[in-house]
Structures are given as C-alpha cells and as structure tokens.
Amino acid sequence: MGLMLLATMILSPSAWAEGDKASGKLKGWHAFYAKELNMTDEQIEQYKQMLAKREAAEAKWKSENKEKYEAAKKAVDEAKASGDKAAYKQAKEAYYAAKKDKDDANKAYEEAFEAMLTPEQKGYKIGLTLYNSVKWTTKKADLSSEQEAKIKEMAIAEGATLKDAKGKELHQAKAAFKEKVISEVLTAEQREALGNKGKGKPEKAMKEKKEKKEKAPKAKKEKKDKE
C-alpha cells in the first residue's frame, strides 16, 4: 500500500453519508479504509453489511428517541449552567440512557469491524490513526510533502507494534509519537511555529510506556499471591 497524504482523508459530510448507505460500492471514508487496509472482497462485503446494520439501528433509534434525546441534552446544559450538581448528575444519567441504544449499536459496529481485520490490518489502522493525529496537531508547521510521507511511514511502522492498543494506552502512544515526530522530523523553525523550542521528549514517553509494561506482570502476580 503506497503512501497517501492526509488530503485524501479529509472528506465532506456528504461523502460520509454516502458511505453509510452501504449499498453498491463503498464511498467516502469507508472506501478509503477498504483501499488503505487492502481489504479482500469478502471483507468488503462484510463491511457493507456492518454499515447497513448500523444504519438501520440508528434510524430506529432516531424514530424512537430523537425528541427524548434532545430534551435530555437540553436538560444537561441547563443543569450545568445552574450549578446544581445533583440536578446535573440526574440529567446526565437521563442523557446517557436516552442514547444508550445508539451507543450500543456503534460499539457493536466497532467491535465487528475490529474482529474482521487481520493483525496486520489492525496495526496499519492504528498507524493511520497516529498519522492523522500528528498531521492535525502539526498543521502550523507547514510540513513538506516529503515530511508528510516520512511521518506516515513512521506511523505505519509504529502502528504495527500497537495493533491491540486501546483507550489510555493508545492515547499515550499518540502523545509519544507526536513528540517523536517533533524531535526527528521537524526543523527548528517548525518547532518554533508550534511553540515547541525543544526537540520533544519521546524518550521519556517511551520509557514510561516500557516501565508500565514491565510492571504489569509483577502487579498481576502480587495480586494473585494476595488472593
């Protein structure tokens, strides 16, 4: 799979909507994923079915909960503005309850999508996430096409080591990768444009990640011994 600049990832709302129809050929962001991840014909068909299922679930949710959801959202804003913590807590609970079915459908879609991918594809997908994140946060640096290509190459390589990363681990990986890019790819002038006069501290972030990984088995063993 060749290198692709972020411009190909920036899609209009209509392109997203077309992709969500999941009929005929994949479009928009979904077509991008299918191409970048080198999906098989079988995976593409599965992908379409997942999108169709999610679209149907969302349409059902909208028809049954749209008014309740909008009212709950308004109640959250009003409770927050009032400073009444008890009312705010209650309003948030109602808000999350109103959108639960939609959230469950999205979660099921995301889990099915991940389960469909091979380990290599998962790593590549994480790499795209790293690249996308850094590309946006370094926008003021006015990167050259060569730098963009280098960053994506680095991101894909890093993603291969993070194929199972989620939540906090993925968040930390993004931060560490950003610092690595600032240190190894950007010029002094570009770092200045970002308000970062130093060279970044990827070593510290990576060291913390390594130490955490090394401590995990020990902590698990200690917990087991206590039990």
Side-chain angles (χ1 to χ4, degrees), residues 196-213:
N196 188 327
K197 297 181 181 180
K199 290 188 176 182
K201 298 180 180 179
E203 298 84 0
K204 181 180 178 181
M206 295 305 288
K207 183 179 179 182
E208 290 177 350
K209 179 183 173 183
K210 184 178 179 181
E211 289 176 347
K212 183 179 179 182
K213 195 171 183 179

Side-chain angles (χ1 to χ4, degrees):
M1 289 177 277
L3 295 175
M4 185 179 295
L5 302 182
L6 187 65
T8 61
M9 299 172 66
I10 303 173
L11 304 166
S12 66
S14 61
W16 277 88
E18 288 177 344
D20 282 339
K21 290 178 182 177
S23 58
K25 293 182 179 180
L26 289 170
K27 298 179 182 179
W29 180 259
H30 308 293
F32 166 79
Y33 258 147
K35 182 178 180 180
E36 280 286 288
L37 299 181
N38 197 23
M39 288 186 183
T40 64
D41 291 341
E42 183 180 355
Q43 284 179 315
I44 290 174
E45 287 305 313
Q46 285 182 271
Y47 197 5
K48 291 177 183 177
Q49 291 172 20
M50 290 176 203
L51 290 169
K53 186 175 181 180
R54 185 184 68 171
E55 182 186 15
E58 185 166 339
K60 182 176 184 295
W61 175 82
K62 281 183 178 179
S63 67
E64 298 175 353
N65 299 280
K66 186 177 180 181
E67 291 183 3
K68 183 168 67 174
Y69 169 75
E70 290 178 349
K73 187 177 180 181
K74 182 179 179 181
V76 168
D77 293 337
E78 291 175 346
K80 185 176 181 180
S82 72
D84 187 331
K85 293 183 178 180
Y88 181 55
K89 181 181 179 181
Q90 186 176 6
K92 280 203 302 182
E93 290 174 352
Y95 168 74
Y96 288 124
K99 71 188 191 81
K100 184 179 184 302
D101 288 346
K102 180 182 179 181
D103 290 343
D104 287 346
N106 283 329
K107 184 178 179 181
Y109 161 76
E110 291 169 3
E111 290 177 347
F113 183 78
E114 288 293 321
M116 176 187 71
L117 302 179
T118 65
E120 181 184 15
Q121 288 172 323
K122 288 180 181 179
Y124 199 95
K125 179 173 173 286
I126 292 293
L128 292 177
T129 299
L130 294 175
Y131 172 68
N132 194 20
S133 176
V134 169
K135 185 64 170 61
W136 278 110
T137 56
T138 58
K139 190 174 181 180
K140 290 183 179 180
D142 192 21
L143 302 175
S144 67
S145 58
E146 290 79 9
Q147 286 177 312
E148 290 177 343
K150 176 62 177 176
I151 292 170
K152 185 171 182 182
E153 182 181 7
M154 291 167 62
I156 298 304
E158 186 71 17
T161 70
L162 297 165
K163 56 181 178 293
D164 296 318
K166 294 179 181 179
K168 188 176 181 180
E169 183 183 0
L170 181 57
H171 178 74
Q172 291 176 336
K174 286 181 182 179
F177 183 70
K178 176 187 173 183
E179 294 300 330
K180 184 176 182 180
V181 167
I182 290 173
S183 175
E184 299 180 10
V185 181
L186 271 59
T187 65
E189 291 76 14
Q190 288 173 320
R191 288 195 290 271
E192 182 78 25
L194 294 179
N196 188 327
K197 297 181 181 180
K199 290 188 176 182
K201 298 180 180 179
E203 298 84 0
K204 181 180 178 181
M206 295 305 288
K207 183 179 179 182
E208 290 177 350
K209 179 183 173 183
K210 184 178 179 181
E211 289 176 347
K212 183 179 179 182
K213 195 171 183 179
E214 290 174 346
K215 288 179 181 178
K218 184 179 179 181
K220 189 175 181 180
K221 184 177 182 301
E222 290 176 349
K223 183 179 179 181
K224 188 175 181 180
D225 291 341
K226 288 181 180 179
E227 294 174 347

